[in-house]
Amino acid sequence: MKISDLTDNTGEWLRGTGPDSDIVISSRIRLARNVARFPFLSRANVKQKTELEEIIRDKIKESEITQDLFYVNLADVSPVDRLFLVERHLISREHAGGEGVRGVAFGKSETISLMVNEEDHLRIQVIRSGFELKETWKTIDDIDNKLEKKINYAYSSRFGYLTSCPTNVGTGMRASVMLHLPALGMTHHIEKVFNAVVKLGLVVRGMYGEGTQVSGDLYQISNQFTLGKSELEIIEIIESVIPRITSYERMARKALVSESREQLEDRVWRSYGMLKVARTISSDEILHLLSQVRMGVNLGIINDIQMKTLNELFILTLPGHLQKLEGRELTSAQRNIIRASYVRKRLEKIES
Amino acid sequence: MKCESCNKKHATVHLTEIVGTAKKERHLCEECAQTVNTQLAKIPTPTEILTSLINQVAPEINEMSKISCPVCGLSYLDFRSHGRLGCPMDYTIFRKGLIPLLEKMHGSTQHVGKVPSRAGKELIKKNELMQLRSELNKAVEKEDYEKAADLRDKIYELSGDNNNED
């Protein structure tokens, strides 16, 4: 498998199925792990980093996590390829922008990814479509158990899994749910939701995690604390708040339909029209348009486009994907033209 | 808003004085405020504010500032300025400084989540070894050398493949 082979399809988590998938795009869990008796990466020298990468890569292979695990040496691939992997949620931004020996292993379905030499020696990630944190935990716990048989993790009974940054120590777990909340955004109720979420010790972030802006009405809600609560307790806290947010979003959508149906339909159809005819679309604009159309599909205003196609377009029209598709680096203006033409083609296919 | 005193400069100092039960508000420019109110002449310098803030927020910094990890070489101050630890041992070396930090970040300082089965086994082994060693001591005290030799062999056997530190 090559990175280019990935461009033809997208990860399984984008297929738009699973519980509450009208609002919950995906459920994701990552675990931070370090190898005992090695310094963390910020203090490791080149020799130690090389040794760590070799050990972990071998152990991942030996652990037979999934049959089709594919390993990419990130130091060897182009910046466009790295950006492409970030957009796919297979690696973090930090991992893409890092330096030195580092890599990522992932399965064909793109559900599982294992980052080697990121901020911690190993970061395991599992991502699924819809609201399925418990299932996601089962998968990642199983992978962790397999690896733990081969790798001696840095662990203390007091502080749990020891991590480079003390904000991750303990479970080393970050569980997050990606939500699409256009109606709460339009009706300006989103702030209220977030205040409630923050009180529970959870954090709200943009589509690509820490420090990223919210765009396309996509939000990630994840746990802040990692110490003092078990993995399942943390998951249950997130699980308890998500249904309240999804029902709030549904209520806001209903209110929009009953109070200003014409305006709402107009917004949705205009956005759909724009996607079908525009000749240049910026990355901000497309997220906005896709968000409106996605809500329109969920409300039954638009019927001829599949949720999977829409979810995929959120990813396939990102800068790294467009450049990968074209096989060359593109300026922002060039990307805007190609983005518009790509979306037009995808939507024409549906009509014919 | 103009300064009440000189009526020229922009008022940047806003004072609320309470005399008896009456509340009086004054709006002054920085210059006038310095001359009018002598109490304000004692505005602390930024360094003083910072030091007192550090002492309030993180009193352990002063105490920990001289400590470095013998394994990875990271100093506590390095850790505080970059927020990243250097090696697993730092959790032991900087423990005193870390505990209040962890309390603030997580509201707890005790892991209650997953235990790696390897650590579980080690723990069991450790407890077993402790048990055997205390039995060995008792046997030696009682001068039961046959039993002592037996126990010694068991201890060797159990700890033989265990080169891991605790």
Side-chain angles (χ1 to χ4, degrees):
Chain A
M1 194 158 71
K2 295 193 298 288
I3 296 181
S4 330
D5 295 346
L6 299 176
T7 46
D8 299 334
N9 42 40
T10 51
E12 227 167 67
W13 61 272
L14 277 167
R15 66 189 169 193
T17 56
D20 295 308
S21 56
D22 54 335
I23 293 168
V24 185
I25 308 241
S26 62
S27 303
R28 187 183 78 106
I29 298 182
R30 76 111 168 96
L31 297 174
R33 299 291 187 250
N34 287 281
V35 182
R37 276 177 296 246
F38 272 92
F40 296 138
L41 287 156
S42 61
R43 302 293 287 187
N45 59 33
V46 176
K47 191 171 157 266
Q48 288 164 323
K49 281 184 190 172
T50 312
E51 204 179 329
L52 275 165
E53 196 259 355
E54 269 172 30
I55 294 173
I56 301 170
R57 177 160 37 89
D58 283 354
K59 300 297 174 191
I60 289 174
K61 215 182 257 173
E62 282 174 30
S63 302
E64 294 176 343
I65 292 160
T66 58
Q67 286 182 337
D68 50 15
L69 218 55
F70 171 61
Y71 190 84
V72 178
N73 189 338
L74 287 174
D76 285 353
V77 303
S78 70
V80 169
D81 278 352
R82 295 203 291 265
L83 179 62
F84 176 82
L85 294 172
V86 171
E87 291 172 355
R88 291 248 160 179
H89 290 261
L90 289 170
I91 62 173
S92 62
R93 285 168 168 246
E94 293 72 25
H95 205 32
E99 46 186 56
V101 204
R102 65 200 194 283
V104 60
F106 51 87
K108 206 177 169 194
S109 66
E110 297 175 38
T111 309
I112 298 164
S113 112
L114 300 115
M115 284 177 260
V116 182
N117 284 2
E118 205 245 21
E119 185 184 292
D120 293 295
H121 298 157
L122 174 65
R123 288 214 167 168
I124 314 167
Q125 176 191 275
V126 173
I127 185 164
R128 278 171 177 270
S129 180
F131 183 29
E132 289 213 282
L133 277 179
K134 284 249 169 70
E135 283 302 308
T136 309
W137 166 249
K138 267 186 212 156
T139 313
I140 204 166
D141 187 33
D142 185 49
I143 296 169
D144 186 48
N145 288 340
K146 280 181 180 163
L147 284 165
E148 182 215 290
K149 286 195 182 106
K150 313 270 179 190
I151 301 173
N152 194 4
Y153 287 147
Y155 178 87
S156 97
S157 53
R158 173 72 190 262
F159 299 125
Y161 293 93
L162 304 178
T163 52
S164 159
C165 183
T167 53
N168 295 316
V169 78
T171 57
M173 182 183 83
R174 189 87 56 217
S176 66
V177 170
M178 205 198 313
L179 300 167
H180 182 226
L181 306 172
L184 287 177
M186 274 162 74
T187 54
H188 307 289
H189 284 300
I190 202 91
E191 292 291 323
K192 275 187 222 164
V193 173
F194 294 159
N195 289 340
V197 165
V198 170
K199 276 188 194 133
L200 287 166
L202 305 176
V203 211
V204 185
R205 296 190 173 119
M207 193 176 173
Y208 285 91
E210 212 164 334
T212 61
Q213 247 193 320
V214 171
S215 40
D217 302 302
L218 294 170
Y219 302 87
Q220 278 198 69
I221 292 183
S222 58
N223 59 305
Q224 172 95 285
F225 46 84
T226 53
L227 187 65
K229 288 204 165 55
S230 74
E231 289 82 355
L232 280 174
E233 283 175 316
I234 295 171
I235 286 168
E236 273 159 15
I237 292 172
I238 301 176
E239 275 188 339
S240 72
V241 74
I242 300 299
R244 283 192 267 160
I245 301 175
T246 51
S247 67
Y248 201 12
E249 166 70 18
R250 286 197 188 102
M251 258 165 56
R253 288 180 188 186
K254 249 188 212 156
L256 282 174
V257 171
S258 65
E259 283 161 25
S260 47
R261 181 164 196 111
E262 286 76 19
Q263 283 96 318
L264 181 72
E265 286 186 350
D266 185 61
R267 279 178 86 146
V268 168
W269 283 111
R270 271 172 189 269
S271 298
Y272 195 22
M274 199 73 94
L275 290 173
K276 284 180 175 173
V277 299
R279 260 44 188 174
T280 162
I281 311 179
S282 74
S283 50
D284 275 349
E285 190 185 5
I286 198 145
L287 288 170
H288 172 73
L289 297 174
L290 287 170
S291 170
Q292 298 285 311
V293 173
R294 194 179 188 278
M295 180 173 62
V297 172
N298 280 329
L299 289 173
I301 298 171
I302 297 174
N303 294 309
D304 62 350
I305 180 165
Q306 278 190 325
M307 194 50 76
K308 180 172 185 273
T309 312
L310 269 176
N311 283 353
E312 283 179 352
L313 282 174
F314 272 99
I315 305 291
L316 295 171
T317 56
L318 289 167
H321 273 73
L322 293 175
Q323 294 180 77
K324 198 75 191 123
L325 205 70
E326 285 292 297
R328 64 191 168 103
E329 280 189 39
L330 302 166
T331 63
S332 163
Q334 288 171 323
R335 287 200 300 268
N336 292 350
I337 296 167
I338 289 166
R339 181 176 295 119
S341 108
Y342 179 77
V343 174
R344 279 204 314 277
K345 269 186 217 139
R346 282 292 294 250
L347 297 180
E348 268 164 25
K349 259 192 225 160
I350 294 163
E351 282 181 347
S352 57
Chain B
M1 188 188 289
K2 286 262 166 67
C3 170
E4 289 176 1
S5 177
C6 63
N7 224 349
K8 282 177 201 154
K9 285 195 180 156
H10 199 71
T12 53
V13 180
H14 308 280
L15 299 168
T16 310
E17 277 180 276
I18 297 173
V19 185
T21 52
K23 194 170 120 184
K24 193 181 161 201
E25 279 185 33
R26 307 194 66 187
H27 307 280
L28 304 165
C29 71
E30 206 154 323
E31 239 168 72
C32 293
Q34 293 278 358
T35 52
V36 167
N37 196 326
T38 46
Q39 280 174 333
L40 282 182
K42 285 179 206 151
I43 294 174
T45 64
T47 336
E48 282 167 354
I49 296 173
L50 213 66
T51 323
S52 86
L53 216 67
I54 287 176
N55 279 328
Q56 269 175 38
V57 177
E60 87 286 356
I61 286 190
N62 264 341
E63 197 182 328
M64 298 289 297
S65 63
K66 290 170 200 91
I67 301 176
S68 287
C69 171
V71 178
C72 70
L74 185 82
S75 76
Y76 186 74
L77 287 182
D78 265 351
F79 158 61
R80 287 311 298 257
S81 57
H82 299 109
R84 296 282 183 279
L85 290 163
C87 74
M89 189 52 89
D90 291 350
Y91 280 93
T92 311
I93 307 289
F94 302 145
R95 191 187 181 100
K96 204 170 176 187
L98 272 167
I99 284 185
L101 272 183
L102 293 173
E103 184 67 48
K104 241 177 265 165
M105 283 172 190
H106 304 282
S108 166
T109 63
Q110 176 63 55
H111 177 59
V112 293
K114 192 172 174 178
V115 178
S117 62
R118 191 190 290 258
K121 272 180 212 154
E122 300 272 296
L123 217 66
I124 294 163
K125 202 191 262 184
K126 214 163 107 182
N127 289 342
E128 222 173 301
L129 275 171
M130 258 162 59
Q131 182 68 32
L132 286 172
R133 284 196 189 111
S134 92
E135 274 179 47
L136 176 67
N137 282 341
K138 274 181 204 154
V140 172
E141 266 171 39
K142 283 184 192 160
E143 298 183 1
D144 184 350
Y145 294 112
E146 203 176 327
K147 194 179 179 189
D150 209 32
L151 285 165
R152 183 204 57 202
D153 289 346
K154 271 188 191 161
I155 290 169
Y156 277 155
E157 199 185 329
L158 200 62
S159 59
D161 60 345
N162 176 20
N163 298 316
N164 302 337
E165 68 233 34
D166 291 333

